[in-house]
Amino acid sequence: MSKAHFGLIGLGVMGENLVLNAERNGFSSVVYNRTFAKTETFLNGPGIGKSIRGAKNLQEFVDKLERPRRILMMVKAGAATDAVIEQISPFLQEGDLLIDGGNSAFKDTERRVAQLESKSFGYIGMGVSGGAKGALEGPSMMPGGTKASYDAIESMLTKMAAQVEDGPCVTYIGPGGSGHFVKTVHNGIEYGIEQILAEAYDLMKRVCGMNGDQIADIMGYWNSTEELSSYLVEITEACLRTKDSTDGINVVEKIMDKAGQKGTGLWTVVSALELGASVPTIYASLNGRVMSSMKTQRLKAESILKGPPVKTLDLGSFDDGMAPLMDAVVLSTISSYAQGMELLRKASNEYNYKLNMPSIAQIWKGGCIIRSRLLSRIQDAYRLDSKLTNLLIDPWFAEQVNRRLPGLAKVVAGAAEVGMPVPCFSSSLDYINSYRTGRLPQNLVQAMRDCFGSHTYERIDMDGVFHTDWIK
Ligand code: 6PG
């Protein structure tokens, strides 16, 4: 029997769909799962009649693969990934390539690339985005590692990836853990946009008294605009329209208001703090999830801490697409992207990833969770100025900010007046206001630091480092 082109370890939903995608694109495959029963279920189910075979153990798995072997691991990030690497390493030979397609922490990938590339076989850390459907129909993929390793799988990945008007949604990201770093930041932006849409929903529901279908109608309208047309707005509309078949009540209203997380949003924020990148919108979305998980405490506090009464606010009407609220959503979404891109730029300099910003925007245009029409504008912005420090000052984005800032301010002020939490809207407003302020009050912070700790300061009227004897 001829040897297979491609091997997959880990038959979770992403693994299953990626191997079906590879097979559909002409790559005969072998699959291995820790429990063989799962392999059998897959082969007799979705894998039936396809050029996909199973293997009971890793020896059989590698024997069934043509050389050089191309093996994709879709296993849980962390210890499980290390365990699979350890088990399969003895079977791999010169030229073989092991790809980690899970949501690994980029520092783990840095370590693994360094360790494994010295062992003669190649190692790629690849972010894969798009959920189950994307994996099957065409995901966005962010592979990092050596260029030689990437070259060995490029033709396969370009066939498997989502396709947009200017090419497949995959590109060589850079060395080491850069692929997983870019995926991590993708997820940070994803957290931001999810929270932004949740805040808009909350205001429409609790302040404007709109029902699920009415809010869904607004999402549908927003999804038709250049600024907000995106996968996340599209699925928000779908979620809000879904009714429980037993009683016709919106399913969203029956969901416990506690958001989980698997780590990537946290890693984005930790990296930003380490690199000195400002990501308040993304941080606010992470904190929103943390706060949401404190359900018992919040319920108790609700009866003790009284906010102002919730009254009606002018957030626009259906006819104007909730104009001020749309301003808030657009600018907060832009802030989330701007902060993510800024973090990528800083990481690229710090870790020498040499990230190609227009290419990253391009591969996020299709297949992935944060795909949106805005990404074409982001791509243009970095094409226009490859050294762009912040998306906000690109002419197209600056026009959006200048036009929509009053709307965002109105929404944040109104929310504060009625005691509604809008962490992403308010942190985006502060982010934009801080960024557009040439002189911030940190001169006073510097004075205090120098006063109590002789930390010294610089002056705006002369060069040098100064200390003042503040308390005579
Ligand atoms: C994607 C997603 C996916 C991620 C989930 C869950 O790009 O397909 O980012 O990889 O794992 O969205 O993330 P949280 O559980 O942390 O929300």
Side-chain angles (χ1 to χ4, degrees):
M1 193 179 273
S2 64
K3 304 233 175 195
H5 299 121
F6 172 65
L8 175 102
I9 300 177
L11 284 168
V13 65
M14 290 295 283
E16 284 191 7
N17 285 350
L18 283 167
V19 81
L20 292 169
N21 178 338
E23 196 269 349
R24 189 184 67 242
N25 281 292
F27 300 93
S28 58
S29 305
V30 182
V31 295
Y32 169 78
N33 195 71
R34 202 160 39 95
T35 49
F36 187 63
K38 182 109 179 65
T39 306
E40 283 180 311
T41 309
F42 172 69
L43 292 175
N44 295 324
I48 204 155
K50 309 233 158 55
S51 289
I52 304 177
R53 284 176 281 159
K56 284 203 177 79
N57 55 53
L58 287 172
Q59 177 73 69
E60 186 189 339
F61 176 72
V62 294
D63 286 348
K64 285 182 168 167
L65 282 167
E66 70 177 16
R67 299 221 35 227
R69 301 182 179 94
R70 290 173 287 196
I71 299 170
L72 176 64
M73 293 183 290
M74 292 303 295
V75 296
K76 206 165 176 288
T81 301
D82 278 322
V84 172
I85 294 170
E86 204 180 310
Q87 288 154 17
I88 195 150
S89 291
F91 298 107
L92 298 182
Q93 292 164 290
E94 179 115 34
D96 290 348
L97 187 57
L98 192 57
I99 308 156
D100 170 16
N103 269 331
S104 287
F106 82 103
K107 285 189 179 164
D108 282 348
T109 305
E110 294 283 350
R111 166 178 59 79
R112 291 171 187 147
V113 169
Q115 277 169 6
L116 300 174
E117 284 280 346
S118 61
K119 281 196 177 174
S120 82
F121 61 85
Y123 189 83
I124 289 273
M126 182 169 79
V128 179
S129 178
K133 194 164 185 278
L136 182 64
E137 293 172 4
S140 172
M141 291 181 276
M142 294 148 253
T146 66
K147 181 70 169 54
S149 293
Y150 173 73
D151 288 343
I153 46 163
E154 184 180 30
S155 62
M156 181 172 137
L157 296 183
T158 51
K159 286 197 185 83
M160 288 174 66
Q163 310 290 324
V164 289
E165 72 286 355
D166 50 1
C169 294
V170 63
T171 190
Y172 174 61
I173 297 290
S178 60
H180 277 136
F181 187 82
V182 170
K183 175 59 174 31
T184 296
V185 175
H186 164 286
N187 282 25
I189 298 169
E190 171 186 307
Y191 276 45
I193 300 171
E194 287 167 351
Q195 171 70 23
I196 289 160
L197 294 172
E199 289 173 22
Y201 146 80
D202 203 19
L203 287 172
M204 284 190 268
K205 182 175 94 169
R206 291 207 282 151
V207 176
C208 306
M210 292 162 69
N211 66 31
D213 282 330
Q214 290 167 326
I215 303 171
D217 288 344
I218 292 296
M219 293 289 166
Y221 164 68
W222 287 352
N223 194 33
S224 72
T225 63
E226 175 179 10
E227 292 89 337
L228 291 179
S229 171
S230 61
Y231 173 70
L232 282 169
V233 173
E234 181 191 321
I235 64 164
T236 303
E237 177 184 357
C239 293
L240 288 165
R241 288 207 193 282
T242 305
K243 310 275 189 292
D244 190 328
S245 57
T246 57
D247 55 14
I249 292 177
N250 283 20
V251 177
V252 164
E253 300 311 323
K254 297 188 172 187
I255 297 179
M256 173 63 78
D257 52 327
K258 285 161 89 171
Q261 50 171 313
K262 296 197 195 74
T264 44
L266 172 73
W267 302 336
T268 305
V269 173
V270 169
S271 292
L273 293 173
E274 283 173 357
L275 292 165
S278 179
V279 297
T281 306
I282 296 174
Y283 172 67
S285 67
L286 179 73
N287 193 52
R289 293 195 188 190
V290 173
M291 193 55 99
S292 81
S293 69
M294 297 157 55
K295 177 78 176 174
T296 316
Q297 286 191 52
R298 288 189 288 111
L299 280 174
K300 183 173 177 196
E302 191 174 46
S303 62
I304 302 171
L305 306 173
K306 302 285 173 217
V310 172
K311 56 173 192 195
T312 310
L313 291 176
D314 174 19
L315 298 176
S317 64
F318 186 80
D319 291 339
D320 66 9
M322 310 295 288
L325 193 56
M326 179 169 166
D327 291 337
V329 172
V330 171
L331 290 192
S332 302
T333 301
I334 288 174
S335 297
S336 195
Y337 280 114
Q339 292 163 23
M341 298 311 274
E342 165 68 353
L343 175 54
L344 290 182
R345 199 180 60 82
K346 287 217 164 195
S348 184
N349 293 338
E350 181 68 22
Y351 304 134
N352 211 13
Y353 284 159
K354 298 193 172 58
L355 298 179
N356 182 324
M357 305 295 272
S359 293
I360 292 171
Q362 190 270 329
I363 65 164
W364 285 351
K365 288 199 308 191
C368 73
I369 304 297
I370 62 166
R371 63 185 184 261
S372 67
R373 276 172 70 188
L374 267 187
L375 280 158
S376 295
R377 294 288 183 181
I378 296 176
Q379 193 182 10
D380 290 347
Y382 285 102
R383 272 192 193 137
L384 191 70
D385 177 2
S386 61
K387 294 199 167 44
L388 184 65
T389 47
N390 192 307
L391 212 50
L392 296 182
I393 56 168
D394 162 82
W396 189 87
F397 286 96
E399 193 278 326
Q400 291 284 329
V401 172
N402 290 332
R403 180 154 51 88
R404 296 182 184 277
L405 201 53
L408 171 60
K410 182 176 179 178
V411 169
V412 172
E417 239 178 75
V418 299
M420 292 269 299
V422 283
C424 275
F425 290 158
S426 56
S427 52
S428 300
L429 179 64
D430 274 337
Y431 174 71
I432 296 170
N433 278 337
S434 295
Y435 194 69
R436 62 175 196 84
T437 298
R439 181 158 169 83
L440 287 167
Q442 272 65 20
N443 49 330
L444 183 57
V445 173
Q446 287 294 77
M448 288 183 254
R449 292 176 66 239
D450 188 54
C451 177
F452 64 69
S454 301
H455 292 294
T456 72
Y457 56 90
E458 290 175 279
R459 295 176 63 118
I460 54 174
D461 55 350
M462 58 181 106
D463 289 339
V465 174
F466 298 88
H467 167 66
T468 294
D469 195 5
W470 298 92
I471 300 173
K472 301 279 182 313

